[in-house]
Amino acid sequence: MRSRIAVLAVLAAAATGTLAGCSADTNDSSVAPSTVVSTVTSTPDDTSTTVRPPDTSSTGLPGTRTPVNSAGAQPCRAADLSGTVTNRGRGGGTAGSEYGTLALTNIGSSVCTLTGYPGVSFVGDGNGTQLGAAAVRDGSTVVTTAIEPRGVATAQLRVAEAGNFTGCDQVRADGLRIYPPNDRDAIFVRTTVFTACRSGDAQLLTIGTLR
């Protein structure tokens, strides 16, 4: 009789432990992590294309894409693209620099390709005047990226501290002029978070290759 009672007690304890474990797992999985993404965008002037935030519903994150069939695809042109710039703040191992992500979204109706570096410069004075020198390339490997309609290609943008340049003549930029690779037409992306220099010798911008 005592033996049967002992066995029943062990079984009851095991069942209680299992139920407690299930309850803990349910509570843990009910709290999902959240991510807040801040993107600086606005509508450009009459000579620029419409700036829209990148669509990541099918790609997960900007710059991460499923393979795209690029057979017969033409190079992306400014008219096919819209742009955004996200300021990620300071970091990356370079003192006195801010880092951002330039994202170009295919707003056309067919797959197009981007190969290499975009041309990037600050503009201001309310009329598109270039501020400082155009961006230099960071030496990253050049690749060809095919982006489907609403797909996104990204490049890292580094902005040096304007105060580090003698004779800078600091000014708040109106935004960025972006030339897609091998294109003479540009996209205007309005963002007022960066301080530029009027001096044409001030080399504030460094750009990576589009991926």
Side-chain angles (χ1 to χ4, degrees):
M1 182 66 176
R2 290 181 179 176
S3 176
R4 291 181 61 188
I5 292 173
V7 170
L8 290 173
V10 170
L11 292 174
T16 301
T18 301
L19 291 173
C22 292
S23 176
D25 290 343
T26 301
N27 290 339
D28 288 344
S29 62
S30 66
V31 180
S34 61
T35 301
V36 178
V37 179
S38 176
T39 303
V40 180
T41 64
S42 69
T43 302
D45 57 26
D46 293 338
T47 62
S48 59
T49 58
T50 301
V51 176
R52 302 186 182 95
D55 180 3
T56 60
S57 58
S58 61
T59 60
L61 293 173
T64 60
R65 294 165 296 278
T66 55
V68 175
N69 183 2
S70 60
Q74 298 297 309
C76 301
R77 299 302 181 190
D80 304 319
L81 301 168
S82 66
T84 62
V85 174
T86 302
N87 181 14
R88 303 200 312 270
R90 300 184 185 279
T94 304
S97 294
E98 294 180 275
Y99 286 80
T101 298
L102 168 65
L104 297 181
T105 300
N106 180 0
I107 60 173
S109 59
S110 59
V111 175
C112 64
T113 60
L114 291 167
T115 302
Y117 298 86
V120 181
S121 60
F122 280 129
V123 293
D125 292 341
N127 58 11
T129 298
Q130 181 170 321
L131 303 173
V136 295
R137 300 173 176 182
D138 69 0
S140 52
T141 302
V142 171
V143 297
T144 295
T145 299
I147 49 176
E148 59 190 349
R150 301 304 299 163
V152 182
T154 63
Q156 177 172 275
L157 177 68
R158 178 161 61 87
V159 184
E161 177 69 44
N164 292 340
F165 293 82
T166 303
C168 164
D169 190 7
Q170 295 185 36
V171 59
R172 182 69 66 178
D174 293 336
L176 293 161
R177 182 182 291 124
I178 312 294
Y179 287 92
N182 304 309
D183 195 350
R184 294 185 177 182
D185 293 325
I187 302 164
F188 172 66
V189 179
R190 183 179 299 280
T191 172
T192 57
V193 300
F194 297 113
T195 300
C197 295
R198 292 189 183 280
S199 170
D201 296 327
Q203 189 68 69
L204 273 68
L205 298 170
T206 303
I207 189 68
T209 188
L210 287 159
R211 299 180 182 277

